[in-house]
Amino acid sequence: MSLPAGDEIGRRSMMLKCNLTVEEIDELQGELVEWTRNKADLELKLEAWNAARKDEKKLYEAEIMAAGGKLLRIANTIKDGFEQREVGVVDTIHASTVSTVRLDTEQIIAERPATKDELQRELPLEDRVLPEEEPQEPITDKSLARAATIALVAGAPGETDSEGRDVIEKDPATGKPVVVRKKRTPASAAAEIAAAEGREPGDE
């Protein structure tokens, strides 16, 4: 290549337009495909990273809120000078009133009227109103006549009626005693022994 006429004073490079050859065009097209693929991969990675960051952000936000709530509770406890704790208590009854007492300070923290059952429990045993017993049918000739028409059952060992007499036989339908043994006293027991031995009571 021949240069224009004149003296050469220095050489350098410049960005100038150059027509591409067929080989250069093919090479650039390969690079175009490769960089398109690389760009898509990077975009997917960025999307995944952003999603992970969002989840992590939510986690941190929740922890920050929890810490804020804890700080608020502590501050309120300091301000109030007390906090709620599990403390043992006992209920006592006096003068028809039930009191709830703290076991740690023995302080009465609540009072209420006693119920009927609680008032019964407070009374001495002799003053309590006990449940009424079912009235027992008296042992009469009529009841004995009825007993003759039914199959009686033997009383249980040690079973007694309302007067303390031993139950010999009872009505199986009602469970009431029909035949009883006369209530024994020391005097009657001595008389029975004397009669069994063929002597008068008091004779030795």
Side-chain angles (χ1 to χ4, degrees), residues 92-159:
T92 62
I93 183 170
H94 178 69
S96 303
T97 299
V98 174
S99 302
T100 301
V101 183
R102 293 179 60 140
L103 292 177
D104 58 345
T105 63
E106 299 184 355
Q107 174 188 4
I108 297 176
I109 58 176
E111 290 183 331
R112 62 173 174 80
T115 64
K116 291 182 179 180
D117 291 342
E118 290 168 338
L119 290 174
Q120 284 291 316
R121 191 180 307 140
E122 186 184 20
L123 292 173
L125 183 60
E126 61 271 13
D127 295 335
R128 296 183 186 179
V129 179
L130 301 178
E132 295 184 359
E133 293 185 358
E134 183 180 354
Q136 298 290 332
E137 180 182 352
I139 310 301
T140 63
D141 292 340
K142 182 178 179 181
S143 64
L144 290 174
R146 177 175 178 274
T149 65
I150 60 175
L152 300 180
V153 295
E159 182 177 1

Side-chain angles (χ1 to χ4, degrees), residues 160-167 180-189 192:
T160 60
D161 66 359
S162 60
E163 297 183 12
R165 297 174 296 188
D166 295 332
V167 176
V180 298
R181 180 183 291 114
K182 183 179 179 181
K183 187 175 181 181
R184 300 184 69 186
T185 64
S188 64
E192 290 177 8

Side-chain angles (χ1 to χ4, degrees), residues 8-79:
E8 182 176 340
I9 59 176
R11 297 192 177 196
R12 56 192 175 91
S13 61
M14 297 178 61
M15 298 296 295
L16 302 175
K17 178 181 178 180
C18 299
N19 293 326
L20 298 176
T21 64
V22 175
E23 290 78 7
E24 289 174 337
I25 292 175
D26 290 341
E27 183 180 354
L28 289 176
Q29 286 178 342
E31 292 182 4
L32 177 64
V33 172
E34 181 180 358
W35 280 105
T36 300
R37 186 183 299 111
N38 290 342
K39 180 176 178 293
D41 290 343
L42 291 172
E43 288 174 346
L44 289 175
K45 291 179 180 179
L46 178 60
E47 184 178 353
W49 183 83
N50 285 332
R53 297 295 291 181
K54 287 181 181 178
D55 292 340
E56 190 174 358
K57 179 182 178 182
K58 291 180 180 179
L59 178 61
Y60 284 132
E61 288 175 346
E63 291 179 351
I64 290 172
M65 290 183 63
K70 182 67 174 179
L71 287 173
L72 181 60
R73 287 192 295 272
I74 294 174
N76 287 336
T77 299
I78 296 173
K79 177 182 176 181

